[in-house]
Amino acid sequence: MMRLKFFATSFSFVAALVLSLGLSMGRAEAASPAEQFIADNVQKAMGILNNTASSKEQKKTEFQNFLLGLTDIQSIGRYTLGQYRRSASPEDLTAFDAAFKDYAMSVYQSYFAKYSGQSLKVTGSNQLGANDIMVKTVTVDPKKPSAKPFEVNFRVQTVNGRMLVVDFSVEGVWIRELERNDFTSYLGQKNGDVKALVAMLKQKAAQQH
């Protein structure tokens, strides 16, 4: 069985926590460009979601567009197909791209209200490659200052001259790898039928509404 419940909870928790309601981010010393990129985009998200002049639907649309500009969602999605990407037809890949995007966006949306008031602190970054950086952060709950913080790390890459978030981890578990393991396991049970995965993602997305 797939661990979609764990994936959905972890994925949506971090997405909503880091990129939605009431977040703050700070670091005492000067930030690297990648660290500043994460911090700046949190502020942009706050501006969208805290705009009292916008309706709920307007905020939803603006925030979805914001996320699509911040992440390489197609690259993330296709990575999760693993070896099955090579055997999928162009039509199946197009359908998967759309289903994965809708699934990811629906998960973000469904968890917005659950993690308001949290804060996030950048603690540093590690260079993984020439244009591949891991930005390290920890969560802080202002209402529970004695609570143990946990790590949320972001993988930031430069694609065509601009920075994009391509993966993130919760307590050392990288979400893109988790998705890949789950999706390829599911496809293995379905003889590589990407259409079956598309149908399942659509069902999961519908359940979030």
Side-chain angles (χ1 to χ4, degrees):
M1 294 294 293
M2 294 178 65
R3 294 166 293 172
L4 279 173
K5 183 176 180 181
F6 174 80
F7 159 68
T9 301
S10 299
F11 186 69
S12 55
F13 173 83
V14 178
L17 177 67
V18 175
L19 299 173
S20 62
L21 300 173
L23 282 176
S24 63
M25 176 173 286
R27 191 178 179 200
E29 62 270 27
S32 72
E35 293 168 24
Q36 195 63 53
F37 168 74
I38 295 295
D40 289 347
N41 279 289
V42 166
Q43 295 303 317
K44 290 179 183 177
M46 289 172 62
I48 294 171
L49 295 168
N50 293 329
N51 184 358
T52 57
S54 297
S55 67
K56 182 178 179 180
E57 285 303 312
Q58 286 174 325
K59 289 181 181 180
K60 178 179 177 179
T61 299
E62 289 180 25
F63 190 64
Q64 286 183 347
N65 290 336
F66 167 77
L67 286 178
L68 292 175
L70 178 66
T71 60
D72 190 351
I73 197 71
Q74 184 182 88
S75 176
I76 293 171
R78 292 199 175 188
Y79 177 85
T80 66
L81 290 174
Q83 70 270 29
Y84 296 103
R85 175 182 174 180
R86 294 190 294 271
S87 58
S89 69
E91 293 77 15
D92 284 349
L93 285 176
T94 298
F96 172 78
D97 289 342
F100 182 81
K101 182 185 75 173
D102 289 345
Y103 171 68
M105 294 299 105
S106 68
V107 167
Y108 288 133
Q109 299 292 335
S110 67
Y111 278 78
F112 277 179
K114 292 190 176 183
Y115 304 104
S116 61
Q118 300 289 315
S119 63
L120 190 71
K121 180 180 180 182
V122 173
T123 60
S125 58
N126 291 336
Q127 191 83 33
L128 303 178
N131 58 353
D132 191 357
I133 299 172
M134 180 179 70
V135 177
K136 298 182 289 184
T137 76
V138 292
T139 59
V140 178
D141 188 344
K143 296 180 181 178
K144 299 178 181 179
S146 61
K148 182 182 177 181
F150 62 89
E151 294 183 359
V152 179
N153 298 328
F154 297 85
R155 191 168 178 180
V156 178
Q157 293 181 354
T158 302
V159 180
N160 296 324
R162 68 189 186 102
M163 290 184 178
L164 292 171
V165 174
V166 298
D167 200 2
F168 53 84
S169 69
V170 181
E171 290 292 274
V173 178
W174 287 95
I175 303 304
R176 190 174 67 163
E177 292 298 331
L178 180 64
E179 289 181 278
R180 181 173 173 139
N181 291 338
D182 284 348
F183 288 5
T184 55
S185 175
Y186 182 83
L187 286 168
Q189 298 171 21
K190 299 294 183 180
N191 297 315
D193 186 359
V194 174
K195 290 184 178 67
L197 178 59
V198 168
M200 185 272 293
L201 290 177
K202 287 182 178 179
Q203 181 182 22
K204 293 293 182 181
Q207 291 172 356
Q208 298 293 331
H209 294 299

